[in-house]
Amino acid sequence: MKKRLIALPLLTLLMVVSINTFAQKKKKKKDIIELTPPTFVMKEGKVVYSEVVTQAGVSPEELHKRCFKWFNVFYKNPGGVIKENVTNEKIKGKARIPLFLEDANTGTNTRAGLMNYTITVGIKDGKYRYNITRINKKSQSYLGIEKLIADNEKEYKMSYVTYMIQTDKYMKDLIENLKKSMASSTEKKSDDW
């Protein structure tokens, strides 16, 4: 009988505590910001970053040196990136960038995969052309960035927009860095005064 008398108040206390925890209000989620995907240049249904840049009076040899120097400075592992190096004609490489997803509640970034791309820099007398093509998210099968653009696809996810924004920003920074490097001379200035 004493056991029942002790158990009854304990059971009542547990019920009151559990009802109180279920009555807690849920925290409001942060407002979801609608992201706008970037506008891409399409050639033959594929996303391409391409431009011919004039470097008046610069020989193909000098442009090749500048380009090779850029590959070696820009990439951590240029030997793994450069796939083709034809002297005074072109340098072709295959590289990748990491993609991240940001948690809206905590603000932390989580690694979400890789975006692969091919970069080719063609060289001629007084000009060069860069082509960044075959941009695709690394997955079990080939998933071109073009598939991420189509918002009516079955596989469309809001995270794809963040992948496109990250990729576009990276490519624009890469192009700016390449142009800056290709505009500067590799010839050492004489220290003779």
Side-chain angles (χ1 to χ4, degrees):
M1 185 76 171
K2 287 183 181 181
K3 288 182 182 179
R4 284 188 183 171
L5 288 175
I6 293 173
L8 189 59
L10 285 175
L11 185 61
T12 308
L13 179 66
L14 284 172
M15 287 176 53
V16 170
V17 169
S18 64
I19 290 172
N20 191 24
T21 45
F22 284 121
Q24 297 285 328
K25 291 182 181 178
K26 291 184 178 181
K27 293 180 181 179
K28 291 183 181 180
K29 291 185 177 180
K30 292 182 180 179
D31 293 334
I32 297 173
I33 298 170
E34 200 61 37
L35 299 173
T36 307
T39 306
F40 293 102
V41 174
M42 305 284 277
K43 288 184 183 174
E44 299 175 6
K46 303 289 182 188
V47 172
V48 176
Y49 292 85
S50 182
E51 182 182 359
V52 175
V53 182
T54 304
Q55 294 285 317
V58 182
S59 69
E61 294 84 15
E62 177 63 19
L63 286 174
H64 186 267
K65 285 180 190 175
R66 293 177 187 182
C67 184
F68 190 72
K69 181 181 175 186
W70 175 78
F71 267 93
N72 281 291
V73 171
F74 188 79
Y75 293 106
K76 290 180 184 177
N77 180 13
V81 171
I82 297 172
K83 301 299 179 195
E84 189 177 348
N85 184 359
V86 181
T87 306
N88 304 332
E89 286 185 30
K90 72 176 176 179
I91 298 178
K92 182 178 182 178
K94 292 184 180 184
R96 58 183 152 217
I97 58 171
L99 297 172
F100 296 93
L101 281 178
E102 184 179 335
D103 185 338
N105 295 326
T106 63
T108 59
N109 285 331
T110 306
R111 191 139 182 194
L114 297 168
M115 189 69 77
N116 297 329
Y117 65 94
T118 301
I119 179 168
T120 306
V121 181
I123 300 164
K124 289 191 176 182
D125 191 25
K127 61 184 173 181
Y128 67 92
R129 178 182 66 186
Y130 64 82
N131 276 319
I132 302 171
T133 58
R134 298 195 45 81
I135 305 166
N136 62 81
K137 184 176 183 308
K138 186 175 182 184
S139 57
Q140 286 89 1
S141 63
Y142 178 86
L143 181 62
I145 192 169
E146 300 81 20
K147 195 123 172 124
L148 304 181
I149 294 170
D151 62 357
N152 58 351
E153 293 285 335
K154 293 177 190 174
E155 299 175 13
Y156 178 78
K157 297 178 184 176
M158 194 58 189
S159 60
Y160 288 176
V161 177
T162 63
Y163 299 159
M164 289 185 284
I165 292 169
Q166 291 172 52
T167 303
D168 188 53
K169 181 185 180 320
Y170 176 86
M171 294 304 171
K172 287 178 178 173
D173 291 345
L174 178 149
I175 291 165
E176 182 181 326
N177 191 295
L178 173 66
K179 287 180 175 181
K180 188 176 180 182
S181 182
M182 292 294 280
S184 63
S185 177
T186 60
E187 296 173 9
K188 292 184 179 180
K189 294 179 181 174
S190 174
D191 197 25
D192 187 25
W193 41 280

